[in-house]
Amino acid sequence: MSIHTIGVIIKDWLIGLLAGWGVPVELSRLLIEVLTWAVGAALCIIAIMLAALVFIYLERKVSGYIQSRLGPTRCGPVGILQSFVDVIKLLLKEDIVPAEADRVLHTIGPILFLAVSALAYVVVPWDEGGTVAGKVDAGVGVLFMAAVGSMGLIGIVVGGWGSNNKWSLLGAIRGAAQMVSYEIPMLLALMCVVLQAETLSLAGIVEDQKGSIIAWNFLRPWMWLPVVLFLISGVAEINRTPFDIPEAESELVSGFHTEYTGMKFALFFLAEYGNLLLVALIFSVLFLGGWLSPFGYPDPLRLPGIIWLLAKSLLIVLIVMWVRWTLPRLRVDQLMGLAWKLMIPAGFVALGVMCAVIMLGWA
Amino acid sequence: MALEYGPVAVLLTFGVALGVAAMVTAWLLRPSDPYAAKQAVYECGMEPIGPAWSQFYARYYLIALVFVVFDVEAIFLFPWAAVFKQLSAATAMGAVPLVEVAVFIVILLIGLAYAWRKGDLEWTR
């Protein structure tokens, strides 16, 4: 049973219940609609918080094993409670704001970053018919995701400027330059998938890959270049090593969040791990068949689609973590050069190949 | 209809509420003992010289201009991408949908090549 069918059953039951109390059907429909939005939005927020808790632990363990260490071991069995202890520590930390900083902007920055970067979650197809804002996705899903995904930058710039610290300002400027540059290869990779699937809807892109693993986009040879472009620009968009130039501990102290402590710092990190999950989810949707089972449609194992989606995303997250602890950071000029002189031309090549494949009738 | 974007508005509200709630909780729990040295801007132990809000060189200014061009191009191309298969399958159209977009992209690429040649894509000049 998919999420969609469960939702329909609950909705019908609620309408029946409200009708029993004498509420007009039109009004109860509207109420249930608003309730659905609230439940969907709450689930998105919970997904981000869980992602942050799990990924911080996972990142420390993965980095530990990559560097022949054990990672956290003290809090709970194999250190599994480490994230919770971190949350308590961050809650209890003193909030230090520089005397010369703009207190308003300094406070707004992290909230803006978190709230805006959460928005793209509404178009993620969690399961068949399981998109929070299904109608937005059906119309302009890919564009909405790309537009909202890069707006989190405003939070970084506001926070970096508001700190009145030279490191923060430099980090924010670099963040802006980086996001602006890597947006274009990402859009070009997305465009190749849209050409393949003939739809702007992320749910539709999954539908287009319906079938077993051989029908998925990543096994089509003309998708290999977009796969690489999307993965690299995705890692760059979420500011992770080797592209963490806005933070760059070894040169900018810690970039745009140098002057942040306690909960404000935690909000930045919450949003960053939320973004990591988002990029992994979108990658799975675009190239790895989203909620589809690798054994064919309908799923012979009868598992809910969301399990498959999360399993694929976890794989991507682990790859991104592996990259982080393996590759050194790029220099800022190398970073911009990579985007403008290699990835954007490569993106247009991918687009050309895709068009040729369609004209030849292979797609 | 605007009602489609209801979930987006609700999620934005929830996101802001989460941020505010987290900060208020921390404000209730945390100690507060500010003094001048602690509230100084961090500059690796040095006394900061002047505020960060001074004239600075936004190096990516021209890159940002080129970005705007390519971003608008993407908005034009996405609707085309969504229907390109249909258009190219309609034999009466021939290669017209491809050629039209190719002309558009080539003009943009000439612009990119110009910016590249002028050295505007370099971080340091």
Side-chain angles (χ1 to χ4, degrees), chain B residues 43-108:
Chain B
E43 243 169 62
C44 309
M46 304 288 285
E47 292 274 328
I49 300 168
W53 302 329
S54 54
Q55 282 196 326
F56 63 94
Y57 176 32
R59 290 172 190 273
Y60 63 95
Y61 180 69
L62 278 165
I63 291 178
L65 283 181
V66 183
F67 161 76
V68 170
V69 173
F70 277 96
D71 218 28
V72 174
E73 167 248 48
I75 295 171
F76 277 129
L77 284 191
F78 269 110
W80 162 82
V83 293
F84 180 64
K85 249 187 195 175
Q86 277 178 6
L87 289 181
S88 61
T91 41
M93 299 285 274
V96 174
L98 183 64
V99 171
E100 280 180 350
V101 163
V103 169
F104 177 48
I105 289 179
V106 164
I107 293 172
L108 287 177

Side-chain angles (χ1 to χ4, degrees), chain A residues 37-38 41-42 44-45 49 91-102 107 110-111 114-115 118-119 122 132-133 135-136 140 142-144 161-162 164-167 169 173-174 176-177 180-181 183-184 187 190-191 194-196 198-200 253 258-259 263-264 267 270 332-333 336 340-341 344-345 348 351 355 358-359 363, chain B residues 3-12 14-20 22-23 25-27 29-34 38-44 48-54 56-60 63-64 66-67 70-71 73-75 77-86 88 94-95 98 105 108-109 112 116 121-124:
Chain A
W37 299 345
C44 291
I45 294 283
M49 296 209 279
L91 267 174
L92 296 179
K93 264 196 142 179
E94 187 180 349
D95 184 44
I96 303 167
V97 183
E100 290 105 87
D102 186 328
T107 313
I111 298 181
L114 175 67
L119 284 185
V122 295
V132 174
K135 284 175 188 156
V136 176
V140 291
V142 168
L143 274 179
F144 180 84
W161 176 260
N164 196 359
N165 178 317
K166 284 138 200 157
W167 302 124
L169 184 59
I173 291 171
R174 286 182 178 191
V180 149
S181 304
E183 184 77 9
I184 300 168
L187 286 171
L190 280 170
M191 216 175 282
V194 170
L195 277 166
Q196 173 77 43
E198 288 183 88
T199 172
L200 286 178
V253 187
T258 304
E259 293 292 359
M263 214 55 222
K264 291 177 183 170
L267 290 181
L270 190 58
V332 63
D333 58 321
M336 302 301 283
W340 286 96
K341 295 174 183 173
I344 291 173
F348 280 107
L351 197 63
C355 289
I358 289 176
M359 291 304 278
Chain B
L3 213 55
E4 291 168 9
Y5 286 86
V8 182
V10 175
L11 184 56
L12 190 63
F14 279 19
V16 173
L18 172 69
V20 172
M23 280 190 192
T25 317
W27 176 67
L29 293 174
R30 73 189 173 216
S32 178
D33 175 26
K38 196 189 269 176
Q39 285 191 308
V41 169
Y42 180 75
E43 243 169 62
C44 309
I49 300 168
W53 302 329
S54 54
F56 63 94
Y57 176 32
R59 290 172 190 273
Y60 63 95
I63 291 178
V66 183
F67 161 76
F70 277 96
D71 218 28
E73 167 248 48
I75 295 171
L77 284 191
F78 269 110
W80 162 82
V83 293
F84 180 64
K85 249 187 195 175
Q86 277 178 6
S88 61
L98 183 64
I105 289 179
L108 287 177
L109 285 179
L112 180 66
W116 192 339
L121 302 185
E122 304 296 327
W123 187 257
T124 47

Side-chain angles (χ1 to χ4, degrees), chain A:
Chain A
M1 192 152 43
S2 74
I3 296 175
H4 186 63
T5 20
I6 298 172
V8 169
I9 290 169
I10 294 176
K11 267 186 198 172
D12 287 346
W13 175 74
L14 274 175
I15 288 180
L17 191 71
L18 286 174
W21 294 345
V23 181
V25 180
E26 286 301 308
L27 183 65
S28 60
R29 269 190 202 289
L30 187 69
L31 282 175
I32 287 163
E33 190 76 15
V34 174
L35 187 69
T36 326
W37 299 345
V39 171
L43 288 176
C44 291
I45 294 283
I46 291 169
I48 294 172
M49 296 209 279
L50 280 179
L53 283 178
V54 174
F55 290 169
I56 287 175
Y57 172 71
L58 198 63
E59 179 122 69
R60 297 179 69 169
K61 271 294 180 194
V62 167
S63 65
Y65 285 121
I66 286 179
Q67 298 169 344
S68 298
R69 297 181 286 117
L70 289 175
T73 54
R74 297 294 170 125
C75 309
V78 292
I80 204 136
L81 297 178
Q82 186 66 48
S83 299
F84 297 96
V85 179
D86 283 345
V87 170
I88 295 169
K89 182 196 79 175
L90 288 165
L91 267 174
L92 296 179
K93 264 196 142 179
E94 187 180 349
D95 184 44
I96 303 167
V97 183
E100 290 105 87
D102 186 328
R103 286 195 84 95
V104 177
L105 290 184
H106 192 264
T107 313
I108 288 176
I111 298 181
L112 206 60
F113 189 38
L114 175 67
V116 170
S117 57
L119 284 185
Y121 274 83
V122 295
V123 290
V124 174
W126 298 96
D127 198 347
E128 192 160 21
T131 312
V132 174
K135 284 175 188 156
V136 176
D137 179 47
V140 291
V142 168
L143 274 179
F144 180 84
M145 189 271 290
V148 160
S150 53
M151 264 162 61
L153 169 68
I154 297 169
I156 292 183
V157 173
V158 165
W161 176 260
S163 298
N164 196 359
N165 178 317
K166 284 138 200 157
W167 302 124
S168 306
L169 184 59
L170 277 175
I173 291 171
R174 286 182 178 191
Q178 176 177 339
M179 281 225 184
V180 149
S181 304
Y182 282 88
E183 184 77 9
I184 300 168
M186 184 180 248
L187 286 171
L188 290 170
L190 280 170
M191 216 175 282
C192 293
V193 180
V194 170
L195 277 166
Q196 173 77 43
E198 288 183 88
T199 172
L200 286 178
S201 145
L202 289 169
I205 288 170
V206 176
E207 296 277 324
D208 182 62
Q209 303 174 63
K210 228 171 216 179
S212 65
I213 188 165
I214 27 174
W216 296 356
N217 273 338
F218 84 106
L219 279 178
R220 294 171 168 149
W222 54 89
M223 281 291 168
W224 291 346
L225 193 51
V227 165
V228 174
L229 288 176
F230 189 86
L231 195 59
I232 297 177
S233 49
V235 173
E237 288 275 301
I238 56 176
N239 301 331
R240 282 181 66 90
T241 325
F243 303 107
D244 67 339
I245 282 297
E247 287 158 47
E249 292 92 338
S250 53
E251 32 178 320
L252 288 187
V253 187
S254 80
F256 63 91
H257 53 65
T258 304
E259 293 292 359
Y260 281 94
T261 55
M263 214 55 222
K264 291 177 183 170
F265 176 78
L267 290 181
F268 270 125
F269 264 75
L270 190 58
E272 283 201 356
Y273 281 98
N275 281 341
L276 172 61
L277 177 64
L278 184 72
V279 165
L281 286 169
I282 300 290
F283 186 91
S284 313
V285 164
L286 294 179
F287 302 110
L288 302 179
W291 45 263
L292 293 166
S293 150
F295 306 113
Y297 179 85
D299 183 12
L301 298 180
R302 309 189 63 77
L303 284 173
I306 190 167
I307 303 242
W308 288 115
L309 180 64
L310 289 179
K312 291 166 189 174
S313 308
L314 189 63
L315 183 73
I316 302 301
V317 167
L318 286 173
I319 291 175
V320 173
M321 285 182 179
W322 178 22
V323 168
R324 168 168 181 182
W325 296 101
T326 309
L327 298 180
R329 176 182 303 130
L330 269 72
R331 237 174 31 221
V332 63
D333 58 321
Q334 293 171 330
L335 181 96
M336 302 301 283
L338 177 69
W340 286 96
K341 295 174 183 173
L342 187 64
M343 289 184 56
I344 291 173
F348 280 107
V349 169
L351 197 63
V353 169
M354 190 69 226
C355 289
V357 165
I358 289 176
M359 291 304 278
L360 291 168
W362 295 346

